[in-house]
Amino acid sequence: MKFFIPSTEDKDQDAVYETIKAHLKELGFEASDRKIFKLNYKHNGENHCAEVGKKEDYPDGEEVIAIIYEELRNLYHVCTPNRGVTRGISILVGGDEVLSVTDFD
């Protein structure tokens, strides 16, 4: 799958992605350069899926704009409009909760 940011022109996608990473950095997170398309994980005994461009199934049902990996803490950031893109903290998924990861090409 080719990298994309939903509802963004091709020419602006990398800039939007870098803006999201910068927002996370302001909150104290160090994002890697890895670009993730889909994340399957288990939280509180239930399986969940976050996929860029689709509504996440936990906790708010918002569209996933980006999934960013923080290598130092082995932490994934599922970013939605109200959780990590321009405000608020992302949905945090610990590496030990992850069942599978699909990167963009």
Side-chain angles (χ1 to χ4, degrees):
M1 173 70 65
K2 181 183 176 221
F3 174 74
F4 72 96
I5 296 288
S7 304
T8 305
E9 300 288 328
D10 283 348
K11 63 182 172 55
D12 298 328
Q13 292 182 15
D14 285 330
V16 170
Y17 189 72
E18 291 304 317
T19 299
I20 295 168
K21 286 172 53 176
H23 172 70
L24 292 176
K25 186 170 185 149
E26 288 175 1
L27 298 173
F29 301 111
E30 288 295 327
S32 72
D33 290 330
R34 186 174 177 190
K35 292 180 178 173
I36 299 168
F37 171 63
K38 185 176 180 180
L39 185 66
N40 290 300
Y41 62 100
K42 187 170 278 220
H43 182 71
N44 290 336
E46 295 182 16
N47 291 345
H48 297 282
C49 179
E51 183 176 322
V52 173
K54 292 191 176 178
K55 291 186 178 190
E56 45 84 16
D57 61 0
Y58 174 85
D60 304 315
E62 289 190 314
E63 181 180 32
V64 175
I65 305 301
I67 302 170
I68 296 174
Y69 181 60
E70 184 181 1
E71 189 171 0
L72 184 64
R73 297 183 205 182
N74 190 25
L75 190 63
Y76 293 83
H77 298 264
V78 178
C79 300
T80 68
N82 289 302
R83 302 280 306 263
V85 171
T86 57
R87 62 180 168 247
I89 193 166
S90 57
I91 299 165
L92 303 175
V93 179
D96 60 337
E97 298 178 300
V98 173
L99 302 172
S100 67
V101 180
T102 304
D103 290 348
F104 282 104
D105 295 336

